[in-house]
Amino acid sequence: MEHKNTWETYNAKQLKEVDTFAREYMDFLDNGKTERECIDQIVNTIEQAGYQELETLVKSGRELKTGDKVYSVWMNKSIAMFRIGKEKMTEGINILGAHIDSPRLDIKQNPLYEDGGFAYLDTHYYGGVKKYQWVTIPLAIHGVVVKKDGTTVEINVGENEDDPVFFVSDLLIHLAQEQMEKKANKVIEGEALDIIIGNKPLIIDNKDKDSSHKDEEEKSADKDAVKKGILEILQKSYDMEEEDFISAELEVVPVGRAREAGFDRSMILAYGQDDRVCAFSSLKAMLEVEHSDRTACCILVDKEEIGSVGATGMQSKFFENAVAEVMNLTGEYSELNLRRCLSRSCMLSSDVSSAFDPTYAASFDKKNVAYLGCGMVFNKFTGARGKSGSNDANAEYLGHIRAIFEKEKVNFQTAELGKVDLGGGGTIAYILALYGMNVIDSGVAVLNMHAPWEATSKADVYETKRGYVAFLKHASL
């Protein structure tokens, strides 16, 4: 089977729509480099579209009816959105699911130290990364600091042109003979990914000090003077003490805005497209489809890159609890009805797929790989090597999806992540499949996956949104 280039199928109107959608998506990436920032954007957007907070409705006991739109946020890092359909939820719902976390460096809880005249922040990398890709590039710090009194300070340093940036150093090539002989996963060790945040010592003015204390204070100033200078800046800028790192969530990400790539501007180069490309497309599809027979749902979750664990990951009961609360407000809840709803649901587990890279052609099966610009991607199964850790969608379900997409003229392709014995990856699909629902992996092909800068095709992003719209309208077995 040949792959059809999606660009060739568009008329002039659609080409304009592709660019408009791409600009909206790039703005979303620029303003959402962390899970919390993504949630803030999403909530602002859906509330303008008439979505109401589920917790508020639960407290008031207000009944939900066809057409109502509700959402539930969990710990500011995951969200579930529902638009109530005509059919009872016990007949199943149509679910779009994606994740909003991305590979990065996380600041440790006791991170600040000085060595060799530099002040550093100690980091722990998050998700699967090639560690050598994170050195010598400008980095920004995003996140929150929660102080003992419960106040929250938001941190976002490095993105504005007049902001300072941070970086991880690397050994100069002139002295790197031994380093260059190491394996790629050892060239840069995880504990070497500490970011440099300063080099200037704290200067203490002793002119008006009692001379008897002068020598003692000068000696004290000499020790960790650069670190003390940084602490003074943190105190003045954020009213933050060193101990406040204990209750901080600070993420180190590449500096820079999403950019159009190529002379033809056909691609998008940006940080965090895995998997915010599917998250944004899912969100837009939910807003576009106003009416459908089945209740539509979109879940955007945290922690996928480290196994979907924790209270905000897909393995949490957060989603199941939210469905139960919604069913209670529609007058349908019972434990049995909840099980029936989930088992009869249909889901697109949306995550990125590897795009064919001619430079590394030997890693791919050319017949079963996604190509940039050839539309939305379906992965019947993922997993590693012998499909370990995979969801493997039923043929009947895939046939049903094919019929929907052909009816709506959505361009799609099927793929695997790479050659069978070279590895693989996981998504949230297998977790939802535990309920017995029909689930298949789908999404957008990405070049440079998990690198600080990833590439997608504008056409694929737009076509994926079209696919999600078609799914929400028609998916039910």
Side-chain angles (χ1 to χ4, degrees), residues 112-221:
L112 182 58
Y113 69 97
E114 180 178 336
D115 191 8
F118 293 103
Y120 291 88
L121 286 178
D122 198 357
T123 74
H124 191 134
Y125 63 92
Y126 174 95
V129 299
K130 292 180 176 178
K131 297 185 285 291
Y132 62 79
Q133 293 179 331
W134 287 79
V135 300
T136 73
I137 63 174
L139 300 169
I141 300 175
H142 294 237
V144 295
V145 177
V146 182
K147 302 202 292 185
K148 286 185 292 186
D149 63 3
T151 58
T152 299
V153 180
E154 294 188 2
I155 307 289
N156 188 331
V157 186
E159 300 294 351
N160 295 326
E161 289 187 4
D162 57 348
D163 280 352
V165 297
F166 313 97
F167 65 98
V168 179
S169 64
D170 193 12
L171 185 62
L172 65 161
I173 186 63
H174 308 76
L175 302 177
Q177 291 87 341
E178 292 183 359
Q179 182 194 43
M180 298 290 282
E181 292 176 0
K182 295 181 179 180
K183 291 183 177 180
N185 63 349
K186 294 291 185 181
V187 169
I188 301 294
E189 301 279 359
E191 289 294 347
L193 290 174
D194 294 352
I195 61 172
I196 292 177
I197 60 170
N199 179 236
K200 184 170 68 175
L202 173 65
I203 300 174
I204 297 179
D205 189 349
N206 287 312
K207 289 180 181 179
D208 298 324
K209 300 282 186 178
D210 187 320
S211 60
S212 63
H213 297 96
K214 185 174 181 181
D215 291 341
E216 182 180 343
E217 289 182 355
E218 285 182 346
K219 289 179 182 178
S220 176

Side-chain angles (χ1 to χ4, degrees), residues 21 31 68 93 128 175 189 224 240-241 324 342 379 431 437:
F21 191 74
N31 294 299
D68 282 345
I93 62 179
L175 302 177
E189 301 279 359
D224 290 342
M240 178 182 174
E241 300 177 354
L342 294 172
N379 298 86
I431 302 169
M437 70 176 69

Side-chain angles (χ1 to χ4, degrees), residues 3 17 105 167 191 201 246 250 303 342 367 382 405 421 444 460 473 475-476:
H3 288 79
E17 290 175 353
L105 306 180
F167 65 98
E191 289 294 347
I246 294 172
L250 299 174
K303 298 292 188 291
L342 294 172
K367 304 185 301 303
T382 53
F405 277 33
D421 285 334
V444 178
D460 294 340
K473 285 181 178 178
S476 62

Side-chain angles (χ1 to χ4, degrees), residues 142-355:
H142 294 237
V144 295
V145 177
V146 182
K147 302 202 292 185
K148 286 185 292 186
D149 63 3
T151 58
T152 299
V153 180
E154 294 188 2
I155 307 289
N156 188 331
V157 186
E159 300 294 351
N160 295 326
E161 289 187 4
D162 57 348
D163 280 352
V165 297
F166 313 97
F167 65 98
V168 179
S169 64
D170 193 12
L171 185 62
L172 65 161
I173 186 63
H174 308 76
L175 302 177
Q177 291 87 341
E178 292 183 359
Q179 182 194 43
M180 298 290 282
E181 292 176 0
K182 295 181 179 180
K183 291 183 177 180
N185 63 349
K186 294 291 185 181
V187 169
I188 301 294
E189 301 279 359
E191 289 294 347
L193 290 174
D194 294 352
I195 61 172
I196 292 177
I197 60 170
N199 179 236
K200 184 170 68 175
L202 173 65
I203 300 174
I204 297 179
D205 189 349
N206 287 312
K207 289 180 181 179
D208 298 324
K209 300 282 186 178
D210 187 320
S211 60
S212 63
H213 297 96
K214 185 174 181 181
D215 291 341
E216 182 180 343
E217 289 182 355
E218 285 182 346
K219 289 179 182 178
S220 176
D222 289 339
K223 183 179 180 182
D224 290 342
V226 178
K227 174 183 173 180
K228 291 175 181 176
I230 296 299
L231 285 172
E232 184 176 83
I233 293 170
L234 294 177
Q235 177 65 42
K236 289 180 178 179
S237 300
Y238 307 108
D239 190 25
M240 178 182 174
E241 300 177 354
E242 184 173 4
E243 290 76 11
D244 291 328
F245 280 110
I246 294 172
S247 51
E249 289 181 1
L250 299 174
E251 302 177 12
V252 180
V253 300
V255 169
R257 302 179 67 83
R259 301 291 296 272
E260 294 175 308
F263 280 116
D264 56 7
R265 299 177 182 267
S266 62
M267 295 170 287
I268 297 168
L269 190 68
Y271 165 71
Q273 298 200 72
D274 177 6
D275 183 36
R276 290 165 191 153
V277 62
C278 295
F280 180 76
S281 302
S282 298
L283 168 66
K284 297 297 283 187
M286 280 289 288
L287 297 176
E288 185 172 324
V289 180
E290 284 294 329
H291 305 287
S292 60
D293 290 337
R294 281 160 66 102
T295 291
C297 173
C298 176
I299 48 177
L300 306 176
V301 297
D302 182 24
K303 298 292 188 291
E304 190 278 340
E305 296 295 357
I306 58 171
S308 297
V309 295
T312 55
M314 195 67 247
Q315 295 194 58
S316 164
K317 297 295 184 182
F318 155 67
F319 171 63
E320 182 180 325
N321 293 342
V323 174
E325 294 284 9
V326 171
M327 293 187 73
N328 193 50
L329 294 181
T330 63
E332 298 181 69
Y333 177 74
S334 71
E335 186 65 17
L336 180 59
N337 281 347
L338 174 63
R339 301 300 160 196
R340 286 173 175 168
C341 170
L342 294 172
S343 66
R344 294 169 179 172
S345 293
C346 295
M347 182 189 184
L348 294 185
S349 173
S350 302
D351 209 338
V352 297
S353 187
S354 56

Side-chain angles (χ1 to χ4, degrees), residues 76-87:
N76 298 315
K77 297 178 189 176
S78 295
I79 187 169
M81 295 165 267
F82 302 86
R83 194 195 62 253
I84 308 303
K86 298 176 183 178
E87 297 179 358

